[in-house]
Amino acid sequence: MSSDRGHEQELAHLERELKARDLLLDRRSREEMNYEVMHAMERISLGWLLAAFVLGGLVFLGLGLAWAYQIKWGLGVAGINRPVFWGVYIANFVFWIGISHAGTLISAILRAVGAEWRRPITRAAEAMTVFALMVAGMYPLIHMGRTWRFYWMLPAPTQRLIWPNFRSPLMWDMMAILTYLTGSLIFLYLPLIPDMAMARDHSKAKIRRKLFQILSLGWRGTEAEWKHLHVAMAIFTFIIIPVAASVHTIVSWDFAMSNVPGWKSTIFGPYFVVGAIYSGVGALGVVLVLVRKFMGFGYYLREQHLDNIGKIMLTMTFFWTYFWYNGYLTEWYGAERALDFLREFMTYTGPAAPFFYGMLVTNIVIPIALLWSRAGRTTPWTLALAGISINIGMYLERYIIVPVTLSRNRFPFSWGHYVPSPVELLISLGSLSMFILLYVLLSRIVPLISVWEVQEGQVMHVIRRVGRTLVPGVVHWHKAE
Amino acid sequence: MSRQNGGTQEHRWAMIVDIDKCTGCGACITACYAENNIPVVGEEEIHKGRHMGWVRIERYWEGEYPDIRARFIPIMCQQCGEAPCEPVCPVFATYHSETENINVQVYNRCVGTRFCANNCPYIARVFNWFDPVFPEPLHEQLNPDVTVRSRGIMEKCTFCIQRIRQVEEEAKAEGRPIEDGEVQPACVQACPTEALVFGDLNDPHSKVARLAQSRRAFKLLEDLGTEPAVIYLKGGDAHVV
């Protein structure tokens, strides 16, 4: 008899272990979960107000004052010159498009392959995509010489009787980004509807209830509604993956379609996609760690999620390294004269060498060192550090591709040197602040955890007793029919 | 197929630059500033790489002091037959003119993406970083035939298209063909050593057509397939320029 009791204890211990390991087995009542998420969403603390205020101030300084100053006086207030006609604005543009990738792409791929652990992270990832795209979308406007004429690039019938030039990669780029922005907004919104309905049913404040009433589109949770939602999600999951891949390919074509030495490269398309996912996953890791800490979502975002995100980051480290090395090696062997000039400029003791070696260290050495072990992946601060390092590295990569590459060309007499001006730095800071501010604001309007998806996952996952042990099991509702 | 063979191809305006004759005096640059209303930006801006001149004379040193010599090569827009700047412009601000067979820039269409400037392998394009300033009395000498450009747009050598047009119209009014040497861009007119020659390549008897047959003739970065309309003549004892 005593051995039976010992066995029961063992099973209880095993059950606790299984629950700790997997959120979907660690079931909580829906009411408890709804309350917790709503509470985190409605609480407006002093710290939150302060953060929103400071970020808002920085946005005003950068995107309000500095940009207005630049429009008033001309692009001469930026550090760009001849031959470095494109500077940090374009580097920022590529960077933010890159960040936007992880979100939707990761979430869509994980949905497509039915990775169950994705459930609590998809919302935060999809929101990241939309915000990063909004920031990225401003940069072509900031970068333009005559911003006030931006609509001349739109294919709209006007009295000018002139259509945009569809041979220009910039036009493809604009189309791709607008498509992606539309797609990812829908992709964020669709799975938000049931949670908006939940928020509508649970909020007490009148304004909030009104807002959620509108956003939930009258969701009642009938079987037909669920079915439609799942069908729509399935369609969009598979639409958004090729769209996302095409967007960054087209961004790379802004460079690869040119005949600038260092840009005209056949590997740029996939290289940019890989780099985008890499920086995006890095940013997602940082966002998840911050959401977990500041929203008190330790229950939802667990070691398993950090570990998995860390593994994706590490995989992407190797992918990126491989693509970068492949491009670098073939160009080096090609020994094109203008590229030799560029390599002299950015390697050994050249003026741009800190960027080049900085990129290699932050993009390869630090992430591998931090993410190699499970302990490194599951410790929030090391994971966040790896994510930040990756994003510094990927920024340096874009900086090398844009102003550094343009500094050298086929005519040594016309070489240039680029240093970002205070206006450029302020605008960059303003846009970073805008991204964070949008996130901070969103955290009080929308549950950053997809509550219904977690609940759905928990309904589908059970711990079963098989023989003398416990095993986790999965029920697929659509197959059970 | 080259675009030189397309369009109405009435003319193929071209320039010969005889490097052997170039002394690097800079008269072409000055004449161009005066003719085309190019703003003078000052030392500080030039140091940043923002000189607005449409022609630049690249100077390279050969050898070590005291056995040293300077080499000069004037570079302006090459008026490519297959211009890399054209397809990348999203708003058709730069395109190929079919009658003159040169590459033209429509200032009023330009929104300033500067893609054309990056894609020009000759670094021939300049950007208006600020609104132009013509301090007194410089504003008195602005050329009324040329637009003064605003901030935020690209510009470049036009082969003095206003002069080409003027001669074209005069000849048309008088019902005669354009004579060789009748069109002279400001730089050609100002060149004291006659290192620059301008004319129509489509006219087989023109001076440029003859000089283009020279064994010294070469084009800049010819391997890129841009088909420039500026043809250089190598310096006598120079290897490759």
Side-chain angles (χ1 to χ4, degrees), chain B residues 42-122:
Chain B
E43 189 182 342
E44 204 180 306
E45 286 295 298
I46 286 183
H47 191 69
K48 287 183 191 163
R50 291 177 179 171
H51 51 293
M52 302 286 297
W54 289 356
V55 194
R56 67 175 186 271
I57 298 180
E58 298 207 338
R59 185 199 57 207
Y60 295 101
W61 296 107
E62 264 179 21
E64 291 284 325
Y65 182 84
D67 187 20
I68 193 168
R69 55 182 305 178
R71 293 251 171 234
F72 301 104
I73 176 167
I75 296 181
M76 68 295 287
C77 171
Q78 308 284 304
Q79 311 291 353
C80 304
E82 295 286 354
C85 55
E86 289 165 10
V88 297
C89 176
V91 291
F92 286 114
T94 175
Y95 72 98
H96 201 77
S97 141
E98 302 289 1
T99 8
E100 283 85 18
N101 245 320
I102 60 173
N103 173 264
V104 290
Q105 174 79 15
V106 184
Y107 304 126
N108 285 345
R109 282 185 196 163
C110 180
V111 294
T113 67
R114 308 190 288 292
F115 204 167
C116 56
N118 283 339
N119 214 24
C120 174
Y122 307 101

Side-chain angles (χ1 to χ4, degrees), chain A residues 241-282:
Chain A
I241 294 173
V243 170
S246 74
V247 169
H248 219 74
T249 306
I250 290 174
V251 167
S252 85
W253 287 348
D254 285 346
F255 306 98
M257 293 291 168
S258 77
N259 69 49
V260 175
W263 281 6
K264 49 166 183 176
S265 152
T266 51
I267 208 172
F268 257 33
Y271 175 52
F272 269 49
V273 174
V274 163
I277 300 174
Y278 188 33
S279 67
V281 176

Side-chain angles (χ1 to χ4, degrees), chain A residues 44-170:
Chain A
I44 292 185
S45 62
L46 199 65
W48 185 89
L49 280 173
L50 196 69
F53 185 76
V54 171
L55 289 166
L58 289 174
V59 171
F60 179 71
L61 188 67
L63 298 177
L65 295 181
W67 190 9
Y69 179 76
Q70 178 182 290
I71 290 174
K72 171 90 175 77
W73 293 107
L75 273 162
V77 300
I80 33 185
N81 53 55
R82 178 163 98 163
V84 191
F85 285 98
W86 289 2
V88 292
Y89 295 149
I90 296 296
N92 290 350
F93 167 71
V94 182
F95 177 78
W96 285 109
I97 294 277
I99 297 282
S100 81
H101 262 62
T104 298
L105 195 59
I106 291 288
S107 142
I109 289 174
L110 295 181
R111 279 179 201 278
V113 298
E116 289 295 318
W117 62 273
R118 73 166 195 275
R119 290 175 181 275
I121 68 164
T122 49
R123 176 78 37 82
E126 288 154 13
M128 199 174 83
T129 290
V130 173
F131 293 155
L133 267 180
M134 287 173 162
V135 174
M138 291 192 324
Y139 270 106
L141 302 183
I142 295 172
H143 161 88
M144 270 165 117
R146 297 206 289 173
T147 305
W148 53 96
R149 294 278 185 244
F150 77 94
Y151 59 91
W152 285 2
M153 294 178 69
L154 299 174
T158 64
Q159 89 291 348
R160 300 174 66 237
L161 295 177
I162 190 166
W163 210 241
N165 179 8
F166 280 98
R167 289 195 298 163
S168 169
L170 289 185

